[in-house]
Amino acid sequence: MRTIEWRDGKVITIDQMKLPHEEVFIEMKNCEEVAEAIKTMKIRGAPLIGAAAAYGLALTAYHSKANSREELLAELERCGEMLRRTRPTAVNLFWAVDRVLKKANNVEGDVGTIAEKVVEEANLIAEEDVEANRRMGKFGAQLIEDGDTILTHCNAGALATVDYGTALGVIRAAWEEGKKIRVIATETRPKLQGARLTVYELMRDGIPVTLITDNMVGYVMYKGLVSKVIVGADRIVRDAVINKIGTYTVAVLAHEHNIPFYVAAPTSTFDLDKTSSQVVIEERNSQEVTHVLSVQIAPDGVKVLNPAFDVTPLKYVSAIICEKGILKPKETNFELKLESLNLIDSQ
Ligand code: MRU
């Protein structure tokens, strides 16, 4: 299930706003279309947003009519700016834009050579994401036992990445190893990524899944129905994991019930130069709260708060699974340093 693909100067992806009822593929031909798809959440999920942004730059380079290197680099810079303004929280977006622009600036040669290398770099980012998810899956599966029921929040599956998924990648890997597991998926208001996307992915794979509303998490934990929690991340900073709104509530409840709380994310989601107070939490449109899908449920004119992400301090995180291994924040005194990751079971 590949979520994004480069095909002869076009980028193909599935429109996630139409799932699960319609499987509509969209074709993007320029940077503006990619930026629009990210902004409107046809494309969403931190690693996928990163790969899409890289492809936005690739489209600009591939179709450019620039006559000089300087002209092309300026066009790429403008596309990068447009992409950076789409969504503020997932760091993969900024990481991918910076990486591709750096590549373009460092290439020696003419316009054609730069364009070729930019497309190559975007494809590499996409390939690396799939590889990272597969590796993360293998590491993470070691934490999953036969018979576990795993609660997940939002969608950190193939749809949120280029393929396979982060949190759902771990679940898939455990399932592929023959472990008999079950999943509880939260619906994830307001955009319902859990109900629409996680359930869709797991049912396609034949992995048993039960859907609950977000306010049922406490109840299922209290009843002893959850063995582990696994979620993805939009940004991991020195003191916290920033992920879909509601993650913090799940983490605190897991802590109270002694349930391990795991985060699965590639190192492209790590932003270890920052702490949580330096990260912009995206505030989205009030209509996402006053309406469920397109049906209005609240009275006209009500005041609304709609932060798209929240901040989970590392004290609630039992382990972070990345493509390099398993990091236990508690054992590193919350001081996450990429250079000195306290890895167990790394290759
Ligand atoms: O607003 P979204 O749907 O882009 O947010 C996605 C999430 O919060 C995911 O849980 C996170 O990106 C991890 S994706 C592998």
Side-chain angles (χ1 to χ4, degrees), residues 41 44-47 49 87 153-156 160-161 166 193 232-234 243-244 309:
M41 294 179 71
R44 38 101 8 231
I49 292 172
R87 295 193 74 190
H153 184 62
C154 194
N155 172 266
T161 63
T166 56
Q193 292 94 328
D234 288 82
N243 192 48
K244 180 51 57 194
F309 302 96

PDB file of all heavy atoms in Angstrom, residues 41 44-47 49 87 153-156 160-161 166 193 232-234 243-244 309, ligand 1:
ATOM      1  N   MET A  41      -5.264  18.574   4.163  1.00  0.00           N
ATOM      2  CA  MET A  41      -5.162  17.234   4.761  1.00  0.00           C
ATOM      3  C   MET A  41      -5.596  16.089   3.845  1.00  0.00           C
ATOM      4  O   MET A  41      -5.936  15.013   4.324  1.00  0.00           O
ATOM      5  CB  MET A  41      -5.875  17.185   6.115  1.00  0.00           C
ATOM      6  CG  MET A  41      -5.166  18.063   7.124  1.00  0.00           C
ATOM      7  SD  MET A  41      -5.926  18.108   8.752  1.00  0.00           S
ATOM      8  CE  MET A  41      -5.572  16.492   9.381  1.00  0.00           C
ATOM      9  N   ARG A  44      -1.616  13.796   4.798  1.00  0.00           N
ATOM     10  CA  ARG A  44      -1.399  14.102   6.218  1.00  0.00           C
ATOM     11  C   ARG A  44      -0.546  13.010   6.843  1.00  0.00           C
ATOM     12  O   ARG A  44      -0.256  11.994   6.218  1.00  0.00           O
ATOM     13  CB  ARG A  44      -2.718  14.310   6.967  1.00  0.00           C
ATOM     14  CG  ARG A  44      -3.841  13.431   6.580  1.00  0.00           C
ATOM     15  CD  ARG A  44      -4.217  12.216   7.422  1.00  0.00           C
ATOM     16  NE  ARG A  44      -3.598  12.004   8.672  1.00  0.00           N
ATOM     17  CZ  ARG A  44      -3.034  10.843   9.004  1.00  0.00           C
ATOM     18  NH1 ARG A  44      -2.984   9.820   8.145  1.00  0.00           N
ATOM     19  NH2 ARG A  44      -2.514  10.659  10.184  1.00  0.00           N
ATOM     20  N   GLY A  45      -0.141  13.257   8.103  1.00  0.00           N
ATOM     21  CA  GLY A  45       0.771  12.318   8.762  1.00  0.00           C
ATOM     22  C   GLY A  45       2.192  12.819   8.546  1.00  0.00           C
ATOM     23  O   GLY A  45       2.590  13.102   7.401  1.00  0.00           O
ATOM     24  N   ALA A  46       2.939  12.939   9.645  1.00  0.00           N
ATOM     25  CA  ALA A  46       4.237  13.625   9.584  1.00  0.00           C
ATOM     26  C   ALA A  46       5.185  13.103   8.482  1.00  0.00           C
ATOM     27  O   ALA A  46       5.653  13.880   7.647  1.00  0.00           O
ATOM     28  CB  ALA A  46       4.890  13.579  10.959  1.00  0.00           C
ATOM     29  N   PRO A  47       5.477  11.783   8.444  1.00  0.00           N
ATOM     30  CA  PRO A  47       6.440  11.333   7.426  1.00  0.00           C
ATOM     31  C   PRO A  47       5.933  11.513   5.990  1.00  0.00           C
ATOM     32  O   PRO A  47       6.704  11.843   5.085  1.00  0.00           O
ATOM     33  CB  PRO A  47       6.639   9.848   7.750  1.00  0.00           C
ATOM     34  CG  PRO A  47       6.252   9.729   9.194  1.00  0.00           C
ATOM     35  CD  PRO A  47       5.136  10.704   9.377  1.00  0.00           C
ATOM     36  N   ILE A  49       3.867  13.894   4.975  1.00  0.00           N
ATOM     37  CA  ILE A  49       3.963  15.328   4.669  1.00  0.00           C
ATOM     38  C   ILE A  49       5.399  15.659   4.239  1.00  0.00           C
ATOM     39  O   ILE A  49       5.623  16.414   3.292  1.00  0.00           O
ATOM     40  CB  ILE A  49       3.533  16.186   5.896  1.00  0.00           C
ATOM     41  CG1 ILE A  49       2.030  16.013   6.161  1.00  0.00           C
ATOM     42  CG2 ILE A  49       3.875  17.651   5.685  1.00  0.00           C
ATOM     43  CD1 ILE A  49       1.540  16.657   7.468  1.00  0.00           C
ATOM     44  N   ARG A  87       1.727  23.650   7.165  1.00  0.00           N
ATOM     45  CA  ARG A  87       1.378  23.153   8.509  1.00  0.00           C
ATOM     46  C   ARG A  87       2.614  23.321   9.405  1.00  0.00           C
ATOM     47  O   ARG A  87       3.715  22.944   9.008  1.00  0.00           O
ATOM     48  CB  ARG A  87       0.948  21.673   8.445  1.00  0.00           C
ATOM     49  CG  ARG A  87      -0.348  21.482   7.649  1.00  0.00           C
ATOM     50  CD  ARG A  87      -0.942  20.110   7.848  1.00  0.00           C
ATOM     51  NE  ARG A  87      -1.552  19.965   9.154  1.00  0.00           N
ATOM     52  CZ  ARG A  87      -1.974  18.795   9.649  1.00  0.00           C
ATOM     53  NH1 ARG A  87      -1.844  17.680   8.933  1.00  0.00           N
ATOM     54  NH2 ARG A  87      -2.525  18.719  10.838  1.00  0.00           N
ATOM     55  N   HIS A 153      -3.790   5.713  18.765  1.00  0.00           N
ATOM     56  CA  HIS A 153      -4.550   6.959  18.612  1.00  0.00           C
ATOM     57  C   HIS A 153      -4.178   7.592  17.275  1.00  0.00           C
ATOM     58  O   HIS A 153      -3.035   7.515  16.854  1.00  0.00           O
ATOM     59  CB  HIS A 153      -4.166   7.889  19.778  1.00  0.00           C
ATOM     60  CG  HIS A 153      -4.935   9.170  19.815  1.00  0.00           C
ATOM     61  ND1 HIS A 153      -6.300   9.214  19.983  1.00  0.00           N
ATOM     62  CD2 HIS A 153      -4.527  10.467  19.713  1.00  0.00           C
ATOM     63  CE1 HIS A 153      -6.704  10.473  19.997  1.00  0.00           C
ATOM     64  NE2 HIS A 153      -5.640  11.251  19.818  1.00  0.00           N
ATOM     65  N   CYS A 154      -5.142   8.225  16.643  1.00  0.00           N
ATOM     66  CA  CYS A 154      -4.936   8.861  15.334  1.00  0.00           C
ATOM     67  C   CYS A 154      -4.592   7.809  14.289  1.00  0.00           C
ATOM     68  O   CYS A 154      -4.935   6.634  14.446  1.00  0.00           O
ATOM     69  CB  CYS A 154      -3.857   9.942  15.398  1.00  0.00           C
ATOM     70  SG  CYS A 154      -3.845  11.015  13.927  1.00  0.00           S
ATOM     71  N   ASN A 155      -3.930   8.198  13.225  1.00  0.00           N
ATOM     72  CA  ASN A 155      -3.478   7.216  12.233  1.00  0.00           C
ATOM     73  C   ASN A 155      -1.995   7.396  12.031  1.00  0.00           C
ATOM     74  O   ASN A 155      -1.536   8.441  11.557  1.00  0.00           O
ATOM     75  CB  ASN A 155      -4.197   7.382  10.891  1.00  0.00           C
ATOM     76  CG  ASN A 155      -3.560   6.485   9.829  1.00  0.00           C
ATOM     77  OD1 ASN A 155      -2.676   6.921   9.085  1.00  0.00           O
ATOM     78  ND2 ASN A 155      -3.956   5.227   9.777  1.00  0.00           N
ATOM     79  N   ALA A 156      -1.241   6.386  12.452  1.00  0.00           N
ATOM     80  CA  ALA A 156       0.205   6.365  12.221  1.00  0.00           C
ATOM     81  C   ALA A 156       0.502   5.120  11.392  1.00  0.00           C
ATOM     82  O   ALA A 156       1.365   4.327  11.705  1.00  0.00           O
ATOM     83  CB  ALA A 156       0.947   6.366  13.546  1.00  0.00           C
ATOM     84  N   ALA A 160      -0.108   7.499   6.776  1.00  0.00           N
ATOM     85  CA  ALA A 160       0.582   8.651   7.367  1.00  0.00           C
ATOM     86  C   ALA A 160       2.049   8.690   6.947  1.00  0.00           C
ATOM     87  O   ALA A 160       2.784   9.606   7.324  1.00  0.00           O
ATOM     88  CB  ALA A 160       0.484   8.589   8.884  1.00  0.00           C
ATOM     89  N   THR A 161       2.453   7.672   6.198  1.00  0.00           N
ATOM     90  CA  THR A 161       3.863   7.538   5.797  1.00  0.00           C
ATOM     91  C   THR A 161       3.896   7.202   4.297  1.00  0.00           C
ATOM     92  O   THR A 161       2.872   7.234   3.631  1.00  0.00           O
ATOM     93  CB  THR A 161       4.542   6.398   6.592  1.00  0.00           C
ATOM     94  OG1 THR A 161       3.893   5.153   6.252  1.00  0.00           O
ATOM     95  CG2 THR A 161       4.438   6.592   8.091  1.00  0.00           C
ATOM     96  N   THR A 166       4.289   3.759  11.070  1.00  0.00           N
ATOM     97  CA  THR A 166       5.189   3.799  12.233  1.00  0.00           C
ATOM     98  C   THR A 166       4.554   2.960  13.354  1.00  0.00           C
ATOM     99  O   THR A 166       4.915   1.807  13.531  1.00  0.00           O
ATOM    100  CB  THR A 166       5.445   5.256  12.663  1.00  0.00           C
ATOM    101  OG1 THR A 166       4.204   5.911  12.922  1.00  0.00           O
ATOM    102  CG2 THR A 166       6.204   6.005  11.592  1.00  0.00           C
ATOM    103  N   GLN A 193      -9.237  10.579  12.149  1.00  0.00           N
ATOM    104  CA  GLN A 193      -8.242   9.744  11.451  1.00  0.00           C
ATOM    105  C   GLN A 193      -8.277   8.298  11.937  1.00  0.00           C
ATOM    106  O   GLN A 193      -7.957   7.381  11.182  1.00  0.00           O
ATOM    107  CB  GLN A 193      -6.818  10.306  11.659  1.00  0.00           C
ATOM    108  CG  GLN A 193      -6.550  11.632  10.984  1.00  0.00           C
ATOM    109  CD  GLN A 193      -6.796  12.800  11.910  1.00  0.00           C
ATOM    110  OE1 GLN A 193      -7.658  12.757  12.787  1.00  0.00           O
ATOM    111  NE2 GLN A 193      -6.045  13.868  11.729  1.00  0.00           N
ATOM    112  N   GLY A 232       2.196   7.331  17.051  1.00  0.00           N
ATOM    113  CA  GLY A 232       3.264   7.942  16.260  1.00  0.00           C
ATOM    114  C   GLY A 232       3.655   9.277  16.873  1.00  0.00           C
ATOM    115  O   GLY A 232       3.316   9.560  18.028  1.00  0.00           O
ATOM    116  N   ALA A 233       4.364  10.107  16.104  1.00  0.00           N
ATOM    117  CA  ALA A 233       4.740  11.434  16.596  1.00  0.00           C
ATOM    118  C   ALA A 233       4.862  12.394  15.422  1.00  0.00           C
ATOM    119  O   ALA A 233       5.176  11.983  14.305  1.00  0.00           O
ATOM    120  CB  ALA A 233       6.062  11.376  17.344  1.00  0.00           C
ATOM    121  N   ASP A 234       4.577  13.649  15.706  1.00  0.00           N
ATOM    122  CA  ASP A 234       4.779  14.701  14.704  1.00  0.00           C
ATOM    123  C   ASP A 234       6.099  15.420  14.924  1.00  0.00           C
ATOM    124  O   ASP A 234       6.667  15.996  13.994  1.00  0.00           O
ATOM    125  CB  ASP A 234       3.614  15.688  14.734  1.00  0.00           C
ATOM    126  CG  ASP A 234       2.392  15.018  14.145  1.00  0.00           C
ATOM    127  OD1 ASP A 234       1.716  14.271  14.875  1.00  0.00           O
ATOM    128  OD2 ASP A 234       2.155  15.184  12.938  1.00  0.00           O
ATOM    129  N   ASN A 243       2.259  15.057  19.445  1.00  0.00           N
ATOM    130  CA  ASN A 243       1.480  14.193  18.553  1.00  0.00           C
ATOM    131  C   ASN A 243       0.024  14.654  18.553  1.00  0.00           C
ATOM    132  O   ASN A 243      -0.350  15.611  19.250  1.00  0.00           O
ATOM    133  CB  ASN A 243       1.609  12.732  19.000  1.00  0.00           C
ATOM    134  CG  ASN A 243       1.077  11.764  17.963  1.00  0.00           C
ATOM    135  OD1 ASN A 243       1.400  11.875  16.773  1.00  0.00           O
ATOM    136  ND2 ASN A 243       0.254  10.819  18.365  1.00  0.00           N
ATOM    137  N   LYS A 244      -0.775  13.974  17.800  1.00  0.00           N
ATOM    138  CA  LYS A 244      -2.197  14.328  17.619  1.00  0.00           C
ATOM    139  C   LYS A 244      -2.892  14.641  18.936  1.00  0.00           C
ATOM    140  O   LYS A 244      -2.698  13.935  19.927  1.00  0.00           O
ATOM    141  CB  LYS A 244      -2.887  13.161  16.899  1.00  0.00           C
ATOM    142  CG  LYS A 244      -4.353  13.330  16.629  1.00  0.00           C
ATOM    143  CD  LYS A 244      -4.711  14.639  15.936  1.00  0.00           C
ATOM    144  CE  LYS A 244      -3.995  14.833  14.617  1.00  0.00           C
ATOM    145  NZ  LYS A 244      -4.092  16.230  14.108  1.00  0.00           N
ATOM    146  N   PHE A 309      -2.605  19.379  17.935  1.00  0.00           N
ATOM    147  CA  PHE A 309      -1.611  18.492  18.567  1.00  0.00           C
ATOM    148  C   PHE A 309      -1.514  18.808  20.052  1.00  0.00           C
ATOM    149  O   PHE A 309      -1.918  19.888  20.483  1.00  0.00           O
ATOM    150  CB  PHE A 309      -0.232  18.688  17.901  1.00  0.00           C
ATOM    151  CG  PHE A 309      -0.279  18.413  16.423  1.00  0.00           C
ATOM    152  CD1 PHE A 309      -0.448  19.447  15.518  1.00  0.00           C
ATOM    153  CD2 PHE A 309      -0.216  17.120  15.946  1.00  0.00           C
ATOM    154  CE1 PHE A 309      -0.548  19.192  14.151  1.00  0.00           C
ATOM    155  CE2 PHE A 309      -0.315  16.851  14.591  1.00  0.00           C
ATOM    156  CZ  PHE A 309      -0.474  17.886  13.693  1.00  0.00           C
TER     157      PHE A 309
HETATM  158  O1  MRU B   1      -3.046  16.072  11.612  1.00  0.00           O
HETATM  159  P1  MRU B   1      -2.428  14.807  11.083  1.00  0.00           P
HETATM  160  O2  MRU B   1      -3.430  13.771  10.688  1.00  0.00           O
HETATM  161  O3  MRU B   1      -1.397  15.080  10.025  1.00  0.00           O
HETATM  162  O4  MRU B   1      -1.667  14.255  12.342  1.00  0.00           O
HETATM  163  C1  MRU B   1      -1.053  13.008  12.285  1.00  0.00           C
HETATM  164  C2  MRU B   1      -0.624  12.510  13.587  1.00  0.00           C
HETATM  165  O5  MRU B   1      -0.689  13.172  14.606  1.00  0.00           O
HETATM  166  C3  MRU B   1      -0.004  11.179  13.601  1.00  0.00           C
HETATM  167  O6  MRU B   1      -0.306  10.493  14.766  1.00  0.00           O
HETATM  168  C4  MRU B   1       1.512  11.412  13.485  1.00  0.00           C
HETATM  169  O7  MRU B   1       1.792  12.214  12.366  1.00  0.00           O
HETATM  170  C5  MRU B   1       2.260  10.211  13.340  1.00  0.00           C
HETATM  171  S1  MRU B   1       2.201   9.729  11.687  1.00  0.00           S
HETATM  172  C6  MRU B   1       3.184   8.393  11.436  1.00  0.00           C
END
